[in-house]
Amino acid sequence: MAVQATLAQSSPPGAVDQNELAKAAVEFAEQSEKLSLLPPEQGSHDTIAVEAQFVTPHDTVIVTADGHRLPTVPVQEAHKLNVLREELETQLEPTHHHTIQSPNEEKAIALSQQQNGTSPNKRSTDASLKRSMPPSHTNPLFPPLPLYGPPSLMTHIQCLIFRFTSFFLSLGFLAVIVLGALFTSIGPSVQHLWRLVTLRNPDASSRPFYKEETRRAEIRKRQEEAWLSGHRPSGKTPYPPTEGGPDPLVCDPAYYARRVGLDIEPFEVQTEDGFLIDLWHVYDPKEHTPLPACERAHRGPETFTPPRKPPSSPAKFPVLLIHGLLQSSGAYCVNDDDSLAFLLAKAGYDVWLGNNRCGFTPKHTLLKYSDPRMWAWNIRQMGVFDLPALISRVCYETGFSKIGLICHSQGTTQALVALAKEQRPDLGDRITVFCGLAPAAYAGPLIGKMYFKFMRVISPGFFRVFFGIHAFIPFMMEMHRRLNGRVYGWLGYKVFGFLFGWGDERWDGGLRDRMFRFAPVFVSSESMRWWLGRECFARQKCILSTKEEWRAEEREDGEVGEEGVLGEVDRDMADGGGGGRERKKGRRKKGSTAWYDERAPPFALWVAGDDDLVDGEKLLRRFERGREPHVEVVHQKVIPGYEHLDVIWAMDAPEQVFREVKEVLWKTCDVRGVCRVPKGCEDVPAWKPKKKEVTGDEGEEEEEEEELQSSSSEDLSR
């Protein structure tokens, strides 16, 4: 077989037991073919799976013979491939034991041994560490994804069945949602019409920025007329636009950048599991010349390689923006000069817009759209693979070792997941500050709505029958391409507003249709199942704690709140009573359920006060109550009246949010000496991190634990 031939080319003749070698080769070949790109009769030697690389203890990628990558497979399958490979190599080279074990696989095996009550340092004399099983438990927050092998006649039939059933069933589901959105809009439309009939302005009382909206609409109209008549802004303008006139509502962030005197160059980034994702660089044409297309292409799957060149002083400090669910980073470019991306760029930051896998054009180095392996991913892969790849490319292009990170909604989720100590906590060493806008860590009351509850009650199998195993309701993308921009903008607002419970009262109504040019994008059905299915977020209502865990924490916090600072047992101890031992036994160590360790970057959080989609205030309470002792929150704000999208689209967001984001980015910048000072940040002092010391409650608790252990030892000796 091709697999045996690949590994056997360098083996010394006659040095092995042929029966054992044949058995090892067959077993490895079978496992390799199970995880390869194509079956042996269809593929070449280059497409076979030869190794599994552990990116984290629970996240693997399959490496093919030619160095390409295939997406995540269950840990047990990846581990089995490496074990069989090792056995085959041991047979081929009996005197040279070759190990391909990665540090993350060692962590996975050590974790498994700890769970089984065995010592990670104790080895069997007749079995290597690699033969130990990796963690076998299923994480209730991230259950394993389905394993799809190479295409075959049966898998083709299976995929066709899923695509057929999901086309009609999901289209029916979408039709119900659209009809529901239109039906619920009848009442407001009648009220709007009645105000017009009675000669009242229906917007003057319901829209808080109505006068400013009217003023801006008049300015835009005059600018469009001037552009059409040939009157261009003079060269003395700091940022002369190179596009203008009436807005054609195109799905191109570079076009909207040119309307405000900036531009965007696209980069292609490869993730460690082979996906090709889009990264957009916002730049000032007077200061930057776009790189050639060959230098903006992807650079392979390796992350955090040496930079292209060090930053030249005075450089612009780089910041990366990540978008929310069903959006692209074009959402940061729709409000002209009040867009977050353009505001930061004109203030003096080097702005990069990151997009997640698939986006508007699904791309992979090996897989095609029809292959279900192209869609076997969820929020975990977006955090563990997409975010590091984007940060790595920004660091490479700018020469900085750390960058600022700004995320909205789902973007905050993938960052919070990636930074967790069980995932990729070392990513925190690459981030100066994590700015979370409408952070999505805990579910809001909207998750209990009937249309979401339907997706939660159906089984995982029926979910795949209903919504497929490929893209989630791809008909939405077809509507996005074919419908007139204004028709789609109106319909998109009605549907998404109905689903997610927000309105446009605080937005610039004249730009609303533009806002929906960058949504939706392709996402996987598995990703939506993670958000809304019965197993994950919709059930646990939290991204990194089970429902039982965070409810237990809330009960603890509630008891402390009712008793004041000290509970009844604590007061007894303070008065010299005999309840000290009881207190020590019942009290958990501060931070024992922490999601993050000392590598976490500082956090800055802006929470929408009227956000029904997520509960940002619950996340703030987690930090305030000391459950994350290693996270320093350098800025937090709850904005009354704000809904989920207002943090990026409200007309007063530049004052309520963006100005503070700009200042926090500069306050936490670790290389202020080589960066130009952003406009408006001249008086912003540098942030000094607090020293992490074991004092107060933490030191007291550690002493109590030592005392308890000593007491237990004494009791046993008696």
Side-chain angles (χ1 to χ4, degrees):
M1 292 183 183
V3 179
Q4 298 99 302
T6 301
L7 291 175
Q9 289 173 352
S10 60
S11 62
V16 297
D17 184 309
Q18 293 301 317
N19 291 331
E20 291 296 326
L21 174 61
K23 180 180 177 182
V26 168
E27 290 179 347
F28 176 72
E30 291 175 348
Q31 183 66 8
S32 174
E33 291 164 8
K34 183 179 180 180
L35 303 179
S36 293
L37 173 66
L38 296 170
E41 62 272 14
Q42 298 180 21
S44 66
H45 294 181
D46 292 340
T47 64
I48 62 174
V50 296
E51 180 185 349
Q53 287 190 3
F54 280 69
V55 178
T56 78
H58 297 274
D59 299 280
T60 63
V61 294
I62 300 300
V63 182
T64 60
D66 59 357
H68 283 95
R69 307 293 182 89
L70 289 169
T72 298
V73 299
V75 174
Q76 286 74 19
E77 298 290 341
H79 178 72
K80 182 179 179 181
L81 179 69
N82 283 356
V83 169
L84 293 174
R85 176 188 170 114
E86 183 199 12
E87 290 178 352
L88 181 57
E89 289 176 336
T90 303
Q91 291 290 331
L92 292 173
E93 299 182 49
T95 59
H96 297 88
H97 181 71
H98 177 67
T99 179
I100 56 172
Q101 186 165 326
S102 69
N104 279 318
E105 189 170 6
E106 288 185 3
K107 294 179 185 176
I109 295 169
L111 178 61
S112 174
Q113 291 172 326
Q114 290 172 6
Q115 292 169 347
N116 295 329
T118 61
S119 171
N121 297 320
K122 184 178 180 180
R123 293 193 180 191
S124 171
T125 56
D126 58 350
S128 72
L129 183 64
K130 289 181 61 60
R131 295 175 184 271
S132 302
M133 283 302 295
S136 58
H137 72 284
T138 297
N139 188 328
L141 298 164
F142 303 102
L145 293 164
L147 174 64
Y148 301 105
S152 64
L153 178 61
M154 289 303 299
T155 57
H156 281 310
I157 294 174
Q158 181 188 34
C159 289
L160 286 174
I161 292 173
F162 277 120
R163 295 183 76 169
F164 179 81
T165 59
S166 64
F167 175 79
F168 291 102
L169 293 175
S170 64
L171 192 59
F173 178 82
L174 181 62
V176 170
I177 295 297
V178 171
L179 291 174
L182 296 177
F183 179 78
T184 56
S185 66
I186 293 176
S189 298
V190 170
Q191 293 178 4
H192 185 91
L193 182 61
W194 174 250
R195 290 193 182 96
L196 289 175
V197 170
T198 55
L199 304 179
R200 291 179 293 170
N201 189 326
D203 294 328
S205 59
S206 61
R207 303 185 70 83
F209 305 108
Y210 174 71
K211 291 183 179 179
E212 179 63 16
E213 281 185 273
T214 304
R215 186 185 72 83
R216 293 188 185 185
E218 292 174 353
I219 292 174
R220 283 195 297 269
K221 184 176 180 180
R222 290 197 298 268
Q223 290 174 340
E224 291 171 2
E225 292 172 350
W227 187 273
L228 292 175
S229 63
H231 297 290
R232 303 290 191 266
S234 65
K236 296 181 180 179
T237 305
Y239 297 93
T242 54
E243 297 277 7
D247 184 1
L249 296 176
V250 296
C251 186
D252 180 11
Y255 170 79
Y256 294 107
R258 292 191 290 269
R259 286 180 72 99
V260 297
L262 301 171
D263 210 336
I264 289 177
E265 58 178 339
F267 288 75
E268 191 174 67
V269 177
Q270 184 179 161
T271 65
E272 290 164 284
D273 56 347
F275 282 87
L276 302 178
I277 56 181
D278 295 321
L279 175 65
W280 301 328
H281 179 213
V282 182
Y283 67 92
D284 182 352
K286 300 189 301 296
E287 298 182 351
H288 176 76
T289 301
L291 295 172
C294 60
E295 295 188 34
R296 291 185 276 111
H298 72 84
R299 304 186 60 256
E302 301 301 327
T303 56
F304 300 111
T305 56
R308 180 191 297 273
K309 59 181 181 180
S312 56
S313 181
K316 293 183 176 181
F317 185 67
V319 295
L320 173 66
L321 282 67
I322 305 292
H323 58 82
L325 176 64
L326 293 172
Q327 288 185 317
S328 75
S329 281
Y332 293 114
C333 305
V334 295
N335 283 317
D336 292 329
D337 280 317
D338 284 339
S339 305
L340 177 56
F342 303 153
L343 184 146
L344 291 176
K346 291 187 176 183
Y349 286 103
D350 191 9
V351 176
W352 298 77
L353 304 174
N355 296 278
N356 288 309
R357 54 187 61 201
C358 293
F360 287 113
T361 308
K363 293 176 289 185
H364 191 276
T365 55
L366 293 177
L367 301 177
K368 297 179 180 179
Y369 179 96
S370 59
D371 195 321
R373 290 175 292 182
M374 179 84 168
W375 305 96
W377 51 268
N378 57 36
I379 193 69
R380 184 184 182 92
Q381 285 69 43
M382 293 162 68
V384 169
F385 295 113
D386 293 8
L387 187 60
L390 292 167
I391 293 176
S392 171
R393 188 58 182 269
V394 174
C395 290
Y396 172 80
E397 297 293 339
T398 62
F400 286 83
S401 60
K402 289 188 176 186
I403 66 171
L405 178 64
I406 304 171
C407 302
H408 172 245
S409 188
Q410 179 188 255
T412 67
T413 306
Q414 69 186 98
L416 291 168
V417 168
L419 292 169
K421 57 189 178 184
E422 290 83 7
Q423 271 73 257
R424 301 193 76 161
D426 56 312
L427 196 61
D429 297 331
R430 299 285 181 170
I431 300 170
T432 57
V433 65
F434 163 57
C435 297
L437 313 180
Y442 293 92
L446 201 66
I447 200 71
K449 292 290 185 180
M450 182 58 66
Y451 39 84
F452 290 144
K453 189 174 291 185
F454 162 76
M455 303 173 84
R456 190 166 72 248
V457 298
I458 61 177
S459 67
F462 192 67
F463 191 102
R464 295 182 178 112
V465 170
F466 209 99
F467 296 104
I469 57 176
H470 295 82
F472 180 75
I473 316 184
F475 186 76
M476 293 190 296
M477 296 300 300
E478 195 66 25
M479 293 173 61
H480 182 269
R481 281 193 295 266
R482 295 184 179 277
L483 285 180
N484 173 273
R486 302 200 182 281
V487 173
Y488 181 84
W490 178 83
L491 186 61
Y493 167 71
K494 293 294 183 183
V495 170
F496 286 104
F498 171 72
L499 283 174
F500 302 123
W502 35 251
D504 68 341
E505 290 80 11
R506 293 180 176 271
W507 311 348
D508 187 337
L511 302 179
R512 192 184 71 184
D513 294 338
R514 182 191 296 181
M515 297 170 180
F516 288 90
R517 281 290 80 197
F518 297 99
V521 296
F522 283 103
V523 298
S524 69
S525 291
E526 289 296 333
S527 177
M528 295 304 295
R529 190 173 74 85
W530 187 88
W531 280 112
L532 303 173
R534 65 157 58 174
E535 296 175 278
C536 309
F537 182 75
R539 174 183 174 86
Q540 309 295 347
K541 296 182 172 57
C542 183
I543 62 170
L544 289 171
S545 293
T546 64
K547 183 165 57 177
E548 292 75 21
E549 289 170 346
W550 64 259
R551 281 184 173 174
E553 292 173 357
E554 284 194 335
R555 285 195 295 270
E556 291 176 4
D557 294 338
E559 291 168 3
V560 171
E562 292 171 1
E563 296 288 345
V565 178
L566 295 175
E568 181 179 348
V569 177
D570 292 332
R571 284 200 302 270
D572 183 38
M573 180 180 177
D575 293 337
R581 178 65 56 83
E582 182 181 352
R583 169 181 177 267
K584 296 169 188 173
K585 288 182 179 179
R587 184 177 177 183
R588 289 199 295 188
K589 184 179 179 181
K590 182 181 179 182
S592 61
T593 59
W595 300 341
Y596 306 101
D597 61 20
E598 64 280 356
R599 289 167 288 184
F603 283 27
L605 304 170
W606 287 263
V607 172
D610 286 354
D611 192 345
D612 288 338
L613 188 58
V614 298
D615 191 342
E617 295 185 55
K618 188 176 290 185
L619 179 63
L620 292 181
R621 290 196 297 271
R622 180 177 185 84
F623 295 118
E624 291 168 355
R625 290 169 177 172
R627 298 207 174 277
E628 296 295 339
H630 296 293
V631 175
E632 187 168 350
V633 180
V634 296
H635 184 92
Q636 66 179 51
K637 183 178 185 179
V638 179
I639 310 171
Y642 260 40
E643 296 175 333
H644 193 67
L645 283 168
D646 291 342
V647 291
I648 60 172
W649 285 349
M651 292 184 67
D652 61 341
E655 180 60 28
Q656 291 274 19
V657 181
F658 302 169
R659 177 183 58 82
E660 297 173 0
V661 169
K662 178 179 65 176
E663 293 174 356
V664 167
L665 287 169
W666 184 241
K667 179 171 70 173
T668 54
C669 176
D670 64 329
V671 285
R672 289 165 64 125
V674 299
C675 295
R676 66 176 71 178
V677 181
K679 296 176 183 176
C681 296
E682 293 79 6
D683 299 325
V684 175
W687 169 69
K688 294 182 180 180
K690 296 178 182 178
K691 292 182 180 179
K692 297 186 183 297
E693 298 177 349
V694 181
T695 58
D697 288 343
E698 287 188 63
E700 183 180 319
E701 287 162 1
E702 289 188 3
E703 291 176 2
E704 290 170 1
E705 285 190 358
E706 293 176 0
E707 185 181 336
L708 278 173
Q709 292 175 0
S710 175
S711 300
S712 300
S713 300
E714 291 177 3
D715 292 341
L716 287 172
S717 64
R718 293 196 193 99

